[in-house]
Amino acid sequence: MLFDNIFHCLSCVIGVAIVAALALALGLYFGLLNEQDIEGATGIDVPSLPPFFFQDPFEGVPQESTAKWASSGTGGLALTIIDYTSDDWQGYFDTAVSDWDNGTPDALTLSTQDMSYNQACDYEDGVMIVCNSDYGETGWKGLNEYMVTSDNIIVNSRAKMNEYYLAGASEAERQYVMCHEIGHGFGLAHTDESFVNKNLGNCLDYTNNFTTEQIQPGEVNFLRLEEKYGVVERRGLVAEPEYANGKRALPSWVYEEYEERHAKTLQRGNIDEMIATGWVKLDESPMGAEFALALGDGYYVRAAMLHAN
């Protein structure tokens, strides 16, 4: 009888521990808890947990394997960002551009053009375009798509903020999405894609915990930009994109092929429909997905979705 009672008590303790561990893990996974919450609730020093607990399956992916705007790689990149956002998004746009433009090391020289609100967000050679609208129940709250050549050179970029999900979001979440999508437009990959590790302090780290550090670029992002474009030491050496200011233009059929046959499919966010029409899913996780599409003659589109949750 005594043995049965002891066994029953041990079973209860183990059951409670398993439930508690699952609750903590789900809290980390969905961004409801962070390492401070875990430490306060359990007394466990989070950084002392086994390394596999924090392992990122995408760690070690070289940044040079991602696309980049054409530049010499030594004097930084000069890029124009065209602002088609509505008045209530202007502050988020201005803050994100300023944050990316004033990094250390400094690899970017950014200029902006303020345009009238335009939810269509039409592509233009050699620039990044940023816009917002209620694009509907698409499954994504942020989207960046850019055209690239066969040698992985970015020709243009388009970042969209979906107000279907963001209209009622906090200011911090809006800033995070804006910073995140503009960052992809420079050819940057995610800092990591793990959901159970501590926040890494930059907007290209997947998170639902929108602290001050998470809604702006971090040092690791600026170091990766330096790897791609070099440092802006003398402004006269900054390289403009190959397709900027009419120096070179994409064939008109490329835009027609993409906008008429594929862009709306991407915007709707139905992954099965996308795959059926030629998109290739490169990666997907609970927080986002990445896709590629071949247009022909060495032209491609890369797209990164930030899922709504």
Side-chain angles (χ1 to χ4, degrees), residues 65-228:
S65 68
T66 61
K68 59 178 285 186
W69 297 85
S71 73
S72 64
T74 58
L77 172 69
L79 185 66
T80 297
I81 304 180
I82 298 180
D83 177 16
Y84 283 123
T85 63
S86 56
D87 291 344
D88 56 326
W89 277 89
Q90 289 288 312
Y92 305 109
F93 173 85
D94 292 341
T95 297
V97 172
S98 177
D99 287 342
W100 281 110
D101 194 30
N102 292 285
T104 303
D106 183 8
L108 301 174
T109 299
L110 302 178
S111 59
T112 62
Q113 291 182 13
D114 294 329
M115 307 294 286
S116 299
Y117 174 59
N118 179 359
Q119 64 180 10
C121 216
D122 295 328
Y123 270 124
E124 184 176 332
D125 287 342
V127 299
M128 186 190 305
I129 304 231
V130 179
C131 54
N132 67 280
S133 183
D134 182 342
Y135 295 107
E137 193 175 1
T138 62
W140 55 265
K141 60 184 176 182
L143 176 67
N144 186 286
E145 51 192 310
Y146 53 78
M147 292 183 178
V148 294
T149 61
S150 57
D151 50 357
N152 228 12
I153 297 299
I154 299 174
V155 175
N156 49 44
S157 174
R158 177 163 64 183
K160 295 180 178 179
M161 318 300 137
N162 190 354
E163 292 193 79
Y164 182 89
Y165 302 102
L166 294 173
S170 67
E171 292 185 0
E173 183 174 3
R174 284 182 160 213
Q175 192 64 59
Y176 169 80
V177 176
M178 178 68 76
C179 179
H180 188 100
E181 300 309 332
I182 288 178
H184 280 317
F186 302 126
L188 291 176
H190 296 120
T191 309
D192 80 2
E193 297 186 356
S194 173
F195 314 106
V196 297
N197 64 350
K198 63 188 293 187
N199 281 342
L200 300 184
N202 67 84
C203 65
L204 282 173
D205 174 28
Y206 275 153
T207 188
N208 281 325
N209 185 18
F210 306 112
T211 62
T212 301
E213 293 77 15
Q214 290 295 124
I215 63 176
Q216 59 191 9
E219 182 182 11
V220 64
N221 305 135
F222 297 123
L223 289 171
R224 289 178 171 181
L225 287 170
E226 180 188 20
E227 292 174 11
K228 286 178 174 293

Side-chain angles (χ1 to χ4, degrees), residues 206-281:
Y206 275 153
T207 188
N208 281 325
N209 185 18
F210 306 112
T211 62
T212 301
E213 293 77 15
Q214 290 295 124
I215 63 176
Q216 59 191 9
E219 182 182 11
V220 64
N221 305 135
F222 297 123
L223 289 171
R224 289 178 171 181
L225 287 170
E226 180 188 20
E227 292 174 11
K228 286 178 174 293
Y229 304 115
V231 175
V232 179
E233 295 177 351
R234 288 175 290 174
R235 297 287 171 174
L237 294 180
V238 178
E240 284 190 327
E242 183 179 359
Y243 288 81
N245 297 321
K247 290 184 290 187
R248 187 176 173 187
L250 279 181
S252 60
W253 70 261
V254 175
Y255 287 113
E256 293 168 1
E257 168 75 9
Y258 182 61
E259 296 290 2
E260 292 178 7
R261 297 189 56 195
H262 301 290
K264 289 182 173 59
T265 306
L266 172 67
Q267 183 170 295
R268 284 193 291 270
N270 185 315
I271 294 177
D272 290 337
E273 180 187 6
M274 290 173 59
I275 292 173
T277 56
W279 287 92
V280 176
K281 183 168 64 176

